[in-house]
Amino acid sequence: MNFNFNQEQQLILQAALLQGEAAINSWQRWRTLINIDDVDQDSYRLLPLLYRNLSANNVTDPYIGRLKGVYRRIWVENQVWFQKIRSILGSFQEADIKIMLLKDAALNLHYYQDHGLRYINHLDFLINSKDVFNAVNLLQELGWTAKEKIPNPTVPFSHYIGFENESKQYLSLRWHLFADGFNENAETEFWQNAILTQVNDFPVYLLSATDQLFYTCVFGGLTNSISPISRLVDAAIIIQSYPLEIDANRLLTLAEKYRFIILLKSRITQLQEILNLPISSLILPELQKLSISKFEHQEYQMITSKENTTLNRLKKRYFQYYRTVNTDDFNVFNFFSYLQSIWGLENLWQVPIQVIIRGIKRQISR
């Protein structure tokens, strides 16, 4: 895992997010280092934001037309997503199911406030656990097919289910924001702080600015595959859009509660070093004062380890389980139940056999 950005990545971040001479200078430097036809996927997704920022700073360049074309393409693609969102919101409203829009679409709608600036990769919704079975039925009626067996939301280790439609678009239906805790009241404070807005005439909830910033920075933990560039841009846009609504004390409380101090500190440090956002200098000193638990230290060391042995992979699973149960009391039976759940095994006795099989496969593939 690498939280660092190379020079080209830092320059496009600055060109897309800073103002005035700082943005223009970064653009000019980035322009000399990169062939715009060969940018990586993560940088490509920043091009619409880059287009808007350069236009706002009255930059003229032969590439502006190309950037505008990317903006228009993403705007059109996102319209398709919002058509899907409207149909889901309408169906859920009729069934009296409260729904929260998460991640890509929520950021696009409320924080970027322009359908062409933020690429939507897939949909994420949060509902209450009591509404899961009803919501699943409604999604199936709308043409979404569950990609795995429908879990019982009251069963431990169950927190979301993925769906796909005929166009191979993906949707995650969640009843927990984090794979952590698994009690029906875990999300109460997030719902209480949520923003109520609309897509067309359909009501939908969004995370508050502070909660959205935290979720953006830490969702998925240290192993999440979401691009660090995307995370940093999203975090910066949230802060720039609603600077007065960021509650630093709540941010620190959430980091401590969900044991994401190291990860949040890394993201806020990047915001400070690359973009010099004022709020970063206010939060960082307080983050430094927080006591990092033994668990967080051990988890960080394990996940950042370059050793990919069977034992290490099993240890990583243990840290995921540890986050789930949120207790210092290790229980072999419960840990095996967790492995049974995430591996989709019918019986508990299959777990140790599966561990051996996975270890053998790893040795053979070397």
Side-chain angles (χ1 to χ4, degrees):
M1 181 187 62
N2 185 2
F3 289 140
N4 297 321
F5 297 106
N6 60 36
Q7 182 185 16
E8 292 84 358
Q9 291 170 328
Q10 291 190 39
L11 287 172
I12 192 173
L13 283 164
Q14 293 165 345
L17 292 165
L18 298 181
Q19 299 300 316
E21 289 298 318
I24 295 170
N25 291 338
S26 295
W27 158 251
Q28 292 172 341
R29 291 176 60 196
W30 184 80
R31 178 83 160 71
T32 63
L33 296 174
I34 292 293
N35 182 338
I36 203 168
D37 295 318
D38 297 326
V39 296
D40 60 85
Q41 186 178 33
D42 295 331
S43 296
Y44 179 84
R45 292 179 179 177
L46 266 65
L47 297 185
L49 200 60
L50 180 61
Y51 160 69
R52 185 186 69 169
N53 206 32
L54 294 178
S55 299
N57 284 281
N58 300 312
V59 173
T60 57
D61 187 285
Y63 274 140
I64 295 295
R66 302 277 294 280
L67 298 178
K68 186 176 182 178
V70 177
Y71 164 84
R72 285 178 170 174
R73 176 183 174 183
I74 289 179
W75 187 92
V76 170
E77 291 176 353
N78 285 345
Q79 295 308 306
V80 177
W81 279 115
F82 275 98
Q83 288 176 6
K84 300 294 182 184
I85 291 170
R86 285 190 286 271
S87 67
I88 293 169
L89 294 181
S91 178
F92 279 37
Q93 183 182 32
E94 288 183 7
D96 197 28
I97 296 176
K98 187 166 68 171
I99 185 169
M100 185 184 292
L101 190 60
L102 301 173
K103 296 190 190 177
D104 297 0
L107 290 162
N108 182 298
L109 175 68
H110 188 69
Y111 295 95
Y112 286 79
Q113 299 180 6
D114 183 324
H115 291 345
L117 293 180
R118 175 59 161 81
Y119 176 80
I120 298 176
N121 186 49
H122 65 271
L123 299 181
D124 272 90
F125 294 102
L126 178 73
I127 61 173
N128 289 310
S129 57
K130 66 180 178 61
D131 295 321
V132 169
F133 291 125
N134 195 7
V136 168
N137 290 333
L138 292 175
L139 287 173
Q140 290 173 333
E141 291 174 3
L142 291 171
W144 294 91
T145 302
K147 292 181 66 65
E148 58 265 346
K149 181 180 177 182
I150 309 298
N152 186 332
T154 64
V155 172
F157 319 130
S158 165
H159 66 288
Y160 85 100
I161 181 171
F163 291 83
E164 196 171 72
N165 62 14
E166 290 183 353
S167 302
K168 300 301 180 183
Q169 293 172 316
Y170 186 80
L171 180 155
S172 288
L173 183 69
R174 302 180 183 278
W175 43 100
H176 291 298
L177 283 172
F178 302 98
D180 195 327
F182 296 118
N183 69 76
E184 62 182 42
N185 299 317
E187 277 65 45
T188 298
E189 62 180 327
F190 292 101
W191 282 108
Q192 290 172 342
N193 294 329
I195 301 163
L196 180 60
T197 186
Q198 289 186 329
V199 175
N200 285 22
D201 294 326
F202 300 119
V204 64
Y205 287 88
L206 305 172
L207 289 170
S208 70
T210 301
D211 293 350
Q212 183 66 71
L213 177 59
F214 178 72
Y215 196 58
T216 295
C217 288
V218 309
F219 174 78
L222 296 167
T223 59
N224 193 277
S225 60
I226 296 175
S227 158
I229 292 181
S230 296
R231 284 178 182 265
L232 200 67
V233 173
D234 290 341
I237 290 294
I238 293 166
I239 294 169
Q240 290 176 341
S241 300
Y242 298 96
L244 300 181
E245 295 184 20
I246 304 299
D247 184 340
N249 290 330
R250 175 161 172 78
L251 205 59
L252 298 171
T253 299
L254 289 171
E256 205 163 26
K257 177 179 179 179
Y258 287 94
R259 295 167 295 181
F260 280 130
I261 297 172
I262 294 175
L263 190 50
L264 183 62
K265 188 187 301 182
S266 171
R267 303 300 180 202
I268 300 299
T269 298
Q270 289 172 335
L271 290 170
Q272 170 69 21
E273 293 178 348
I274 299 175
L275 301 172
N276 195 27
L277 296 185
I279 194 171
S280 307
S281 59
L282 296 176
I283 295 175
L284 269 179
E286 298 305 315
L287 268 173
Q288 300 286 357
K289 295 177 185 177
L290 295 182
S291 178
I292 300 172
S293 67
K294 181 180 178 181
F295 163 80
E296 236 191 295
H297 274 300
Q298 291 178 336
E299 180 190 45
Y300 180 81
Q301 291 169 358
M302 173 55 58
I303 292 175
T304 56
S305 171
K306 294 182 180 179
E307 294 185 22
N308 193 26
T309 63
T310 300
L311 180 59
N312 273 15
R313 291 200 305 279
L314 194 60
K315 286 180 179 179
K316 288 178 183 179
R317 288 295 189 189
Y318 168 69
F319 280 108
Q320 292 171 356
Y321 159 78
Y322 190 108
R323 278 194 173 277
T324 299
V325 296
N326 197 17
T327 177
D328 290 329
D329 298 326
F330 178 70
N331 184 302
V332 175
F333 178 82
N334 286 342
F335 180 47
F336 274 32
S337 296
Y338 172 73
L339 294 178
Q340 178 189 359
S341 174
I342 63 173
W343 287 342
L345 303 176
E346 291 292 330
N347 301 292
L348 193 64
W349 58 262
Q350 293 175 287
V351 172
I353 297 175
Q354 187 64 211
V355 171
I356 295 171
I357 292 173
R358 288 168 181 257
I360 292 173
K361 285 183 178 180
R362 175 65 184 169
Q363 291 296 326
I364 293 174
S365 64
R366 285 184 175 182

